[in-house]
Amino acid sequence: RRRLARHLRDEGVDKPQQHKRVHLNLGEAERSGDDVLMLRELELGYSPSRPAIVRAEEALIQRGECIAVMGANGAGKTTLVRSILGELSPLSGQLRLGARVQIGYLPQLQEHLDPAHTVLDSVQQVSPESKPAELRNLLGGFLLFGDDVDKQIRELSGGERSRVSLARLVLAGANFLILDEPTNHLDLTSQEVLEQVLDDFDGTVLLVTHDRYLIQALATGIWRIEAGELSSFDGDWEQFVLWRERQA
């Protein structure tokens, strides 16, 4: 006790104030059709002369759902996302977006950010009509203050780049979010805020992640890609684990 008292007297520091939190609000999404994404007798790949990477007999995402996409590295998750984004045409079958669906995409590798742009330039690119003062206020909610907004993207840490990407997502006004490993580079506090906001989001979410905690917290259904086959499961992570054990 005496050693502790001496330590607190000579080396102790003041108790930190409450940690700053990211203030993320996706707002009210424009209502899409009830069917957001439909897959039927689908084959996805990069060449008709080679075997398909992902096959799906039938799968559906409806408005308001959060579907977690799971699979080992190389299973075909990226192929599926690229196809939904329209970057890759199906080899056969049907992949169709519903009425009034507006996609907002958060990629894993942040390649969409121009390293030469400043933080302010990067968000202004998504919303050219917004005033700089409005964008600065928005970025402040993502813990990017003052001179931070004038830094080039190449000068930012991974966590700061993720927060810029999230700010761009807010400005996109999408009602169907495709998030590829969204918790990468985020600190624990920011992860908790992201989880809460996605839980409150009134649009639809496709979540590509290995984060089992995030899946349990948000997912209403799971798409698993295994041995090239996409199968859908209606339920959360714990229910999926129980079902998988029974199958085994």
Side-chain angles (χ1 to χ4, degrees), residues 103-191:
I103 292 178
Y105 177 46
L106 183 66
Q108 178 181 356
L109 299 178
Q110 303 167 343
E111 294 174 344
H112 60 298
L113 299 177
D114 187 332
H117 278 178
T118 67
V119 171
L120 190 60
D121 290 339
S122 188
V123 293
Q124 185 92 58
Q125 185 181 34
V126 179
S127 182
E129 71 282 359
S130 296
K131 297 178 181 179
E134 296 171 341
L135 296 176
R136 285 178 179 272
N137 286 337
L138 173 71
L139 290 167
F142 289 88
L143 312 185
L144 295 164
F145 304 103
D147 294 339
D148 291 338
V149 303
D150 296 319
K151 289 182 179 178
Q152 290 185 318
I153 296 298
R154 62 166 59 93
E155 301 176 67
L156 303 181
S157 67
E160 288 170 330
R161 293 185 189 188
S162 292
R163 298 203 295 272
V164 172
S165 297
L166 290 171
R168 287 166 55 97
L169 195 65
V170 169
L171 291 168
N175 54 22
F176 180 31
L177 304 182
I178 300 177
L179 310 179
D180 191 354
E181 298 292 353
T183 55
N184 277 10
H185 309 297
L186 291 181
D187 58 67
L188 183 58
T189 301
S190 299
Q191 289 180 32

